[in-house]
Amino acid sequence: MSRYIAGYVEGFTHHHPFIHMPTFSIVKYKDVPELVMAIMAIGAQYRWQQDQRLVQESIQYQYLLSKYAHDGGLTESEDDDGDDWEVWAQKEVSRRIKLGVFCFLNLQSLAFRTPPVLFSNEIRLRLPTSCKEWIAAGPEEWKAARADALPLVEFQDALMRLLQPTGETSVLTTSPFGNYILIHALLQRLTISRQLLLGPNPRSSPLPESSLLQMALDRWKDAWQRAPESVLDLRDPKDSLSWRWLSAPVQRS
């Protein structure tokens, strides 16, 4: 059991940061065996195995994940999460899990060509905080990181700034995980736009939003390059495995 949990901590959590490891303790979840089993399963083998049965099973869970995200709430009204590190960690974990569900479901839609079950316009959450705040090992380190952090960015505000049709936009700066979420939102919009094309051969038809989406992708790349925490190093805890796979091709486009 300890080997599997260690595998999750050492091999997975830096790349998909939605469990807050500085406050994590397996004994806290003794009443949630499903979470413990999921952590152990990922730790035991977190590489994707191409198995049609597993593919169908994962697709069946899409609606369940979407329901849990909706039930947990996709909006928030508070301007910040307060000054208590433990309380902040709980709220940030909840936020990251919901945003992570959006990315995971969108990735499945892209991979298996299934309709989205959770749309970007449903999400009214803030983007994740900085990496320094997230990996801070204690309250004092967290407060110091928070004092130097950039202002929090709301997901819809960030997305609209990327999609603004004309004119200058203010510089968008967010965390690597925040940029990962935003590129999924843009890819979802691109996919839906392509599916709405009419005609027997969509590839030969003009894409109605092609110019707008190209502008949004250019802005996203510029924002990623400007962000102080942007890295492409799998050994760096600020990086994300999925983020690296997705960002590298976009950066070259």
Side-chain angles (χ1 to χ4, degrees):
M1 179 176 177
S2 60
R3 292 200 308 271
Y4 296 154
I5 294 174
Y8 177 90
V9 174
E10 297 170 2
F12 184 83
T13 188
H14 288 321
H15 306 308
H16 300 273
F18 45 78
I19 297 294
H20 190 240
M21 300 316 301
T23 58
F24 174 79
S25 174
I26 200 69
V27 297
K28 291 182 179 179
Y29 301 99
K30 60 183 179 181
D31 296 327
V32 194
E34 298 89 348
L35 177 62
V36 176
M37 292 176 66
I39 290 174
M40 291 175 62
I42 293 172
Q45 186 175 9
Y46 54 88
R47 293 182 180 178
W48 175 254
Q49 298 291 329
Q50 186 62 31
D51 184 304
Q52 190 60 35
R53 180 182 59 82
L54 294 178
V55 170
Q56 293 300 323
E57 186 175 301
S58 68
I59 292 175
Q60 291 172 4
Y61 280 114
Q62 286 182 340
Y63 296 97
L64 186 61
L65 281 174
S66 177
K67 180 181 183 300
Y68 284 154
H70 281 97
D71 290 348
L74 295 174
T75 63
E76 54 188 348
S77 57
E78 298 175 340
D79 293 333
D80 61 60
D81 296 329
D83 297 323
D84 185 286
W85 182 54
E86 294 278 355
V87 173
W88 165 84
Q90 293 175 5
K91 292 182 178 180
E92 181 71 7
V93 166
S94 175
R95 183 179 301 118
R96 286 177 176 238
I97 288 175
K98 295 168 189 174
L99 293 168
V101 165
F102 166 72
C103 294
F104 175 75
L105 292 176
N106 191 60
L107 192 60
Q108 280 198 322
S109 295
L110 294 171
F112 305 131
R113 297 184 179 182
T114 57
V117 294
L118 181 59
F119 293 90
S120 62
N121 62 359
E122 299 179 84
I123 299 173
R124 296 289 189 275
L125 301 171
R126 293 195 298 273
L127 290 174
T129 58
S130 69
C131 297
K132 286 185 177 181
E133 293 171 86
W134 178 250
I135 64 177
E140 297 306 317
E141 185 179 341
W142 170 70
K143 289 179 181 178
R146 200 180 198 194
D148 296 333
L150 294 166
L152 296 172
V153 182
E154 208 274 332
F155 171 73
Q156 289 297 329
D157 290 343
L159 185 57
M160 289 303 101
R161 282 159 66 179
L162 292 175
L163 290 167
Q164 184 174 321
T166 57
E168 294 293 328
T169 60
S170 57
V171 176
L172 173 65
T173 306
T174 184
S175 63
F177 195 18
N179 275 318
Y180 178 56
I181 295 159
L182 288 171
I183 193 62
H184 267 292
L186 292 178
L187 288 174
Q188 185 183 82
R189 180 157 178 153
L190 174 62
T191 302
I192 293 173
S193 296
R194 292 182 66 89
Q195 291 173 346
L196 291 175
L197 290 176
L198 301 177
N201 187 7
R203 291 188 178 183
S204 65
S205 303
L207 188 62
E209 288 193 300
S210 60
S211 298
L212 178 61
L213 287 169
Q214 184 59 58
M215 186 183 300
L217 285 171
D218 290 341
R219 288 171 177 163
W220 178 87
K221 287 191 289 185
D222 182 62
W224 181 86
Q225 291 167 351
R226 290 172 180 267
E229 295 182 326
S230 294
V231 291
L232 284 177
D233 183 355
L234 291 178
R235 297 167 297 181
D236 195 311
K238 297 177 184 177
D239 197 15
S240 161
L241 187 59
S242 299
W243 154 252
R244 176 181 172 88
W245 288 345
L246 196 56
S247 68
V250 174
Q251 287 294 317
R252 291 194 296 267
S253 65

